[in-house]
Amino acid sequence: MNAPAVELTEQTHRRGGGRLGRKALRSAPIASFPTLVRQIPAYEIVPSEAVELIHEESLKILEEVGCEFRDDGAIELWKAAGADVRETRVRIDRALLMELVSKVPPEFTLNARNPERTVRVGGKNSIFVPMYGAPYIRDLDNKRRYGTLADLSNFHKMAYMAPALHSSSSVICEPMEIAVPKRHLHIIHSALKHSDKPFMGIVTSKERAEDTMAMAGIVFGEEFVRDNPVLVAITNCNSPLVWDATMIDAMRVYASHNQPLILAPFALCGASTSASAVGAVAQVNAEALAGVALTQLIRPGSPQIYGQFMVTVDMKTGAPMGGTPEAAQMMYLMGALARKYKLPWRTSGFHVGSKLNDAQAGYEANMLMHAAILSGANYIWHSAGWLEAGLTCGYSKFATDCEQLVGWYKYAGGVPFDDFKEAMAAIREVGPQGHFLGTQHTLEHFESAFFMPNIMDFNSFEQWNAEGAKDHDTRGREKARSMLADYQEPKLDEGVAEGLADLIARREEKLPDSVS
């Protein structure tokens, strides 16, 4: 039986819960926040004329330079649509491009196996999603090592336990002890077994994408997953201007099933783009739009997510950097373009270059999450665990990120006025020189009035010292242990569990133990 999620009205979640919300949080086995509906305006970092300039240049890139689609099926689709195709280079007329892009719905429902954890993506809705793809982990003893299936399962459990995470992702870390050809089966099984939130698909081959859909079909029903989004998958354009066969294969599998893809160029600005923030955005916008358009040739009207992964390169060493001001500025520009096209869009939240859960990680994370929230991002990925430019997922970082997401959730929910009248009455009740600790208003609101983290320490020096003088990273590891100790598995139906085990066994018999 699935653990019930907390059902909060828009009003109660904007207040941080209210009495009904607090009662639900106390009584529910695992609390879960609904889709974040942003109640603050998106910040426009440049005037509309600048957005139009970037848009115009992006269209010229696709018309005059073109984009490579290294897949025979994609080339045939572009020819049939009337694009200018020369071998694998496709030049796309702006009218055709924008007609295809306009077919993408501005919002869609992303279904969870527990319907109470189903979310909305697009419009004023935002969801937080953990990181993806780390070969290494920083463990509960603060050691950096390769990830294992046990680590991956732990991160899926922590994602399930975190109220402000709306998805369990999938490859939070790589289970390195499992052979690559078989690894995807265990990644998806862990995501489906240990959490009942939405998850992410595998894109490293057509067959692995098909296996993902087969597993989703067992859990949700084959008929349901043919038309209803139950996962999100990531496809990256190889900047500059190449969509390769592997990504297009996965795109074809998921789009044909009406599953949303993130169409996100992987851009190292200054290396795979020009050394210019606005120049990089013009190129990445062209690449993303070309990918979005292709999905609509595969299945018109399928839900998709316009995306970007843009980090600047350290021009001294060539290393990618995380939370830089330029990365934040580019996020604002991409958000403005997404609103122009009425597309749901993805960016990164706590993407950092720091190796440890330290002050640098905090500075970088704040720079990017502030931009993600204020630029109106809908799918805020890499929102828990990310260290070392994505090479490492940290237990401590995951736990402390999850706590910070509660604060960002409240920040983006806007300033509530629903108890303003009672607050003014409390001032009259107390008068000069009194205190508010015993007023009825305080008794009713003390739990929800302010963000109250428990990993961050606000005690006196003496109290902090008496409790072991623990730094933030140490407290984060303790919180991670606590989350795992408190974990309660949202059990799969027995028949579903058996079906997944049978599919995995059958596929493992056919798959090799190594990549040839």
Side-chain angles (χ1 to χ4, degrees):
M1 182 176 179
N2 292 326
V6 178
E7 184 176 353
L8 301 179
T9 64
E10 180 176 332
Q11 183 185 62
T12 56
H13 96 250
R14 285 178 62 194
R15 291 180 55 179
R19 279 178 292 177
L20 292 176
R22 293 195 302 274
K23 182 179 179 181
L25 285 167
R26 285 193 295 265
S27 63
I30 302 299
S32 182
F33 291 177
T35 307
L36 168 60
V37 181
R38 295 186 312 279
Q39 301 295 333
I40 56 177
Y43 181 70
E44 304 289 351
I45 197 170
V46 296
S48 58
E49 293 83 359
V51 176
E52 288 299 320
L53 174 63
I54 295 171
H55 164 71
E56 179 67 21
E57 292 302 316
S58 297
L59 297 183
K60 288 179 181 178
I61 290 170
L62 292 177
E63 288 179 326
E64 299 169 7
V65 179
C67 185
E68 292 274 327
F69 289 88
R70 296 178 179 173
D71 175 88
D72 291 342
I75 290 299
E76 292 306 312
L77 287 173
W78 281 119
K79 285 180 179 177
D84 178 2
V85 179
R86 305 174 197 177
E87 296 182 343
T88 57
R89 181 77 65 91
V90 179
R91 292 172 175 83
I92 311 169
D93 176 78
R94 65 184 60 202
L96 171 61
L97 178 78
M98 298 315 298
E99 177 189 356
L100 291 169
V101 169
S102 70
K103 295 179 185 296
V104 177
E107 296 186 31
F108 63 89
T109 296
L110 180 58
N111 295 278
R113 74 171 171 94
N114 178 353
E116 293 182 349
R117 302 193 198 278
T118 290
V119 292
R120 290 284 292 172
V121 179
K124 295 184 70 176
N125 305 302
S126 293
I127 63 171
F128 296 120
V129 183
M131 74 163 294
Y132 182 104
Y136 300 99
I137 62 103
R138 185 162 287 278
D139 66 20
L140 292 168
D141 296 317
N142 204 23
K143 303 297 184 184
R144 182 183 183 269
R145 56 174 173 78
Y146 280 124
T148 66
L149 182 59
D151 292 310
L152 177 64
S153 296
N154 281 343
F155 288 128
H156 286 149
K157 293 173 183 178
M158 291 172 68
Y160 172 66
M161 294 291 291
L165 281 176
H166 299 96
S167 166
S168 298
S169 188
S170 61
V171 198
I172 296 176
C173 72
E174 292 277 1
M176 299 293 282
E177 79 276 27
I178 300 175
V180 170
K182 302 177 180 181
R183 190 177 292 175
H184 65 288
L185 298 168
H186 298 276
I187 291 168
I188 297 303
H189 182 248
S190 177
L192 291 170
K193 172 182 169 65
H194 295 114
S195 173
D196 59 9
K197 296 179 179 181
F199 67 106
M200 295 190 70
I202 303 296
V203 297
T204 47
S205 76
K206 175 186 176 184
E207 292 73 22
R208 294 169 195 170
E210 289 172 340
D211 284 342
T212 301
M213 288 309 306
M215 295 174 79
I218 292 171
V219 173
F220 291 89
E222 290 183 6
E223 291 293 329
F224 189 81
V225 300
R226 287 196 185 101
D227 296 311
N228 296 284
V230 299
L231 60 84
V232 171
I234 173 67
T235 49
N236 289 127
C237 177
N238 293 329
S239 297
L241 297 164
V242 175
W243 282 97
D244 67 29
T246 299
M247 293 291 96
I248 295 172
D249 268 348
M251 192 187 298
R252 191 178 291 111
V253 171
Y254 290 120
S256 65
H257 282 86
N258 213 44
Q259 303 302 312
L261 295 136
I262 300 169
L263 292 310
F266 188 95
L268 301 176
C269 301
S272 61
T273 77
S274 61
S276 159
V278 291
V281 170
Q283 175 188 315
V284 166
N285 182 45
E287 294 166 336
L289 290 177
V292 170
L294 179 58
T295 66
Q296 301 308 294
L297 292 177
I298 296 168
R299 179 163 175 169
S302 58
Q304 305 299 335
I305 301 174
Y306 165 90
Q308 54 89 14
F309 183 89
M310 302 173 75
V311 294
T312 55
V313 169
D314 186 329
M315 303 308 281
K316 302 186 297 293
T317 66
M321 298 190 290
T324 62
E326 293 82 11
Q329 289 169 340
M330 290 186 289
M331 216 180 276
Y332 286 112
L333 294 175
M334 293 297 289
L337 289 161
R339 287 189 292 279
K340 173 181 175 60
Y341 307 133
K342 296 181 173 60
L343 291 173
W345 78 285
R346 164 260 170 162
T347 194
S348 300
F350 291 146
H351 166 231
V352 305
S354 182
K355 317 306 177 287
L356 301 170
N357 189 18
D358 57 8
Q360 178 182 326
Y363 294 145
E364 291 185 86
N366 183 69
M367 175 73 77
L368 291 188
M369 186 58 81
H370 226 126
I373 293 293
L374 292 182
S375 61
N378 305 115
Y379 193 95
I380 306 179
W381 201 11
H382 305 320
S383 290
W386 183 288
L387 288 170
E388 200 181 337
L391 290 175
T392 297
C393 183
Y395 278 84
S396 175
K397 180 68 159 47
F398 200 103
T400 56
D401 283 346
C402 288
E403 178 172 90
Q404 288 301 301
L405 291 177
V406 176
W408 285 106
Y409 188 98
K410 190 166 187 177
Y411 177 88
V415 180
F417 276 78
D418 49 328
D419 68 330
F420 188 59
K421 182 178 180 180
E422 291 89 342
M424 295 301 97
I427 295 174
R428 289 164 174 79
E429 177 186 343
V430 172
Q433 298 186 5
H435 67 77
F436 291 80
L437 296 178
T439 65
Q440 187 63 32
H441 180 266
T442 298
L443 293 174
E444 291 181 354
H445 293 85
F446 75 96
E447 289 182 292
S448 62
F450 310 115
F451 173 52
M452 293 193 296
N454 56 44
I455 302 176
M456 299 175 76
D457 187 286
F458 298 99
N459 290 324
S460 66
F461 173 83
E462 291 76 15
Q463 183 67 29
W464 170 76
N465 196 49
E467 292 177 356
K470 298 171 184 174
D471 62 17
H472 191 63
D473 188 42
T474 300
R475 294 193 301 273
R477 290 195 301 278
E478 290 181 348
K479 179 62 176 178
R481 288 191 179 95
S482 174
M483 292 172 76
L484 292 170
D486 291 341
Y487 172 75
Q488 301 173 43
E489 184 177 321
K491 295 287 187 180
L492 288 161
D493 176 83
E494 185 176 345
V496 169
E498 290 175 355
L500 288 172
D502 179 65
L503 183 147
I504 291 169
R506 285 187 288 106
R507 290 293 292 138
E508 285 199 310
E509 284 184 3
K510 296 180 179 180
L511 293 169
D513 289 323
S514 63
V515 178
S516 59

